[in-house]
Amino acid sequence: MLRYLIFGLLYFYAIANVNDALLFLGLYVAVPLSFLLSFLCKKGNVFKNTYVIIFCFFLGWIVFTWLAAENKGIATAHIQRLFGVFMMTIAVCNMATDKRNVPWIYGVYVLVFCAAVQYAYTHILSLQLDAAGGRLNDDRLNANVLANYTFYATFALFMIGEILDNRIYRKIFRIAFLLMIPLSFIIALLTASRQVMLVQIPLISFLLYFRYIKNANFRTRSVFIVLAIVCAIVFSDSISRTYDDSFLKERSEKSIVEDGRFQVLQEAVDVGLQHPVVGVGPGNFILHSSARIFSHCSYAEAFANHGVIGMLLYVYLVIYFINRQIKYYNKTKKTLYLMFTVFGVIFAFYNFLYVFYSDVWLMSFFMFVATNSRISWNSDRTLQISKY
């Protein structure tokens, strides 16, 4: 029963994420409680998890760079935020050590996406926003954040459809995954976020290949290919016309150099070069940004705020994950690890477009997926050993 209480807390926070009235309870009650209670449900020492160890070193270095912060108030607030990231990460990683919990944890991130979409529909679209005239964006829900949630929800729905044993539930989640294809296009139009299509097209393409072509029988492959061709013929014209009339197309036609975020990224790199050892301190890059915003790039942000060591620790965490998946696949030939590899490569790319490590939902999901992979590998390795 305890694990269901923890999931109740996590699911509550997922809903509270875009609710001003509930957000305080989510942040200061649900997350700390789920963090503490998760230690009573874990099956193994989470601090022996290599991913958690690297991440803890990264967070430890960030805390150390507080000493060099120009503005201690901003640095302290940033560290407090990272403490929330740490608690959420440990909570989901602890729960992931029990395989029964894995689909439930993926479900948390699907609910975060659903809550964000519901909020956007009732609070932003109600202002008569249209695809040609603006972005799905307000003070509570940033357009880029919704784009990030779309990426996570797509992968989560796919994984749930792979994990579940119940055939009916598995089919439901597989249909839900397919529905993310048109929904991703709609979200891309409404948020005018170019990264949605840059990320969703390769992600969905690879996942469709893994499910319906790579390991499928001849009948399934044939049906999928025919349906894909029919859908392309039927919908291509309307999709093209909708895109041509959208703000997304207007933004996409601009050179990357014209994008304000490119300038901020350059500024972050310059600040990092000027303060290469410990950076300017947690969250302090905004004081050096001409637009007074963060760099929208995890690597540049870590470099500017925490110096080359901070950046390298984060880069190592991401690269280590990708390398592990390739190794696991070479040893087992299981498609599961190819799926994780694709996720890791896209995550690495996506970090050039947004700062992930300081967001509770964005970083904890990566760490959960990494732990899911690690637990799966330990299980596969144990099975291989038992055969000899």
Side-chain angles (χ1 to χ4, degrees), residues 11-29:
Y11 277 66
F12 170 78
Y13 181 41
I15 296 172
N17 187 52
V18 287
N19 188 308
D20 288 327
L22 300 176
L23 185 58
F24 180 85
L25 290 174
L27 280 171
Y28 296 101
V29 178

Side-chain angles (χ1 to χ4, degrees), residues 241-256:
R241 280 188 281 105
T242 303
Y243 174 75
D244 288 340
D245 295 333
S246 70
F247 184 45
L248 174 62
K249 181 184 179 182
E250 181 181 331
R251 296 191 76 224
S252 299
E253 289 175 345
K254 290 183 179 180
S255 167
I256 188 173

Side-chain angles (χ1 to χ4, degrees), residues 299-332:
Y299 313 116
E301 189 76 7
F303 185 38
N305 286 330
H306 318 298
V308 67
I309 295 177
M311 181 191 67
L312 289 177
L313 282 170
Y314 187 70
V315 170
Y316 178 67
L317 174 64
V318 177
I319 292 178
Y320 179 81
F321 171 78
I322 297 171
N323 285 339
R324 291 292 96 181
Q325 308 322 303
I326 296 172
K327 174 186 175 183
Y328 298 160
Y329 175 73
N330 288 334
K331 287 184 175 293
T332 64

Side-chain angles (χ1 to χ4, degrees), residues 128-331:
Q128 297 182 343
L129 173 96
D130 61 77
R135 302 188 70 191
L136 198 68
N137 188 74
D138 71 0
D139 293 337
R140 167 55 59 198
L141 183 63
N142 182 276
N144 294 317
V145 172
L146 182 56
N148 300 333
Y149 291 169
T150 304
F151 165 45
Y152 281 179
T154 302
F155 187 76
L157 285 169
F158 180 87
M159 291 304 298
I160 296 173
E162 292 291 303
I163 294 169
L164 292 179
D165 294 324
N166 185 290
R167 291 183 62 185
I168 296 176
Y169 291 151
R170 190 166 64 242
K171 285 184 178 180
I172 290 173
F173 281 99
R174 290 189 172 196
I175 292 171
F177 164 72
L178 293 175
L179 291 176
M180 288 301 296
I181 299 174
L183 187 56
S184 296
F185 180 66
I186 293 170
I187 289 175
L189 291 175
L190 293 176
T191 61
S193 296
R194 289 162 292 184
Q195 62 260 42
V196 174
M197 304 313 295
L198 287 174
V199 167
Q200 290 296 95
I201 289 175
L203 174 68
I204 292 174
S205 297
F206 274 109
L207 295 182
L208 287 173
Y209 169 75
F210 292 143
R211 176 171 287 169
Y212 296 107
I213 296 179
K214 185 177 187 298
N215 295 323
N217 55 40
F218 178 77
R219 179 185 174 186
T220 301
R221 290 181 184 179
S222 300
V223 170
F224 173 76
I225 292 172
V226 170
L227 286 176
I229 293 173
V230 170
C231 288
I233 294 173
V234 172
F235 296 109
S236 60
D237 186 55
S238 59
I239 290 173
S240 178
R241 280 188 281 105
T242 303
Y243 174 75
D244 288 340
D245 295 333
S246 70
F247 184 45
L248 174 62
K249 181 184 179 182
E250 181 181 331
R251 296 191 76 224
S252 299
E253 289 175 345
K254 290 183 179 180
S255 167
I256 188 173
V257 178
E258 297 179 87
D259 193 320
R261 287 184 297 181
F262 182 74
Q263 179 184 345
V264 180
L265 187 150
Q266 288 182 311
E267 292 173 349
V269 173
D270 291 339
V271 169
L273 291 172
Q274 293 166 17
H275 304 81
V277 181
V278 292
V280 294
N284 271 238
F285 166 68
I286 60 173
L287 301 176
H288 298 261
S289 165
S290 59
R292 291 296 184 265
I293 59 175
F294 61 95
S295 68
H296 286 72
C297 170
S298 296
Y299 313 116
E301 189 76 7
F303 185 38
N305 286 330
H306 318 298
V308 67
I309 295 177
M311 181 191 67
L312 289 177
L313 282 170
Y314 187 70
V315 170
Y316 178 67
L317 174 64
V318 177
I319 292 178
Y320 179 81
F321 171 78
I322 297 171
N323 285 339
R324 291 292 96 181
Q325 308 322 303
I326 296 172
K327 174 186 175 183
Y328 298 160
Y329 175 73
N330 288 334
K331 287 184 175 293

Side-chain angles (χ1 to χ4, degrees), residues 112-130:
V112 170
F113 169 74
C114 292
V117 170
Q118 192 274 338
Y119 173 87
Y121 180 76
T122 57
H123 290 77
I124 307 178
L125 282 177
S126 61
L127 299 177
Q128 297 182 343
L129 173 96
D130 61 77

Side-chain angles (χ1 to χ4, degrees), residues 330-358:
N330 288 334
K331 287 184 175 293
T332 64
K333 300 304 178 183
K334 289 182 65 173
T335 306
L336 173 67
Y337 300 114
L338 284 181
M339 299 171 190
F340 287 140
T341 301
V342 168
F343 170 81
V345 171
I346 293 177
F347 179 83
F349 166 74
Y350 216 155
N351 273 257
F352 283 103
L353 306 175
Y354 201 76
V355 176
F356 278 63
Y357 67 81
S358 57

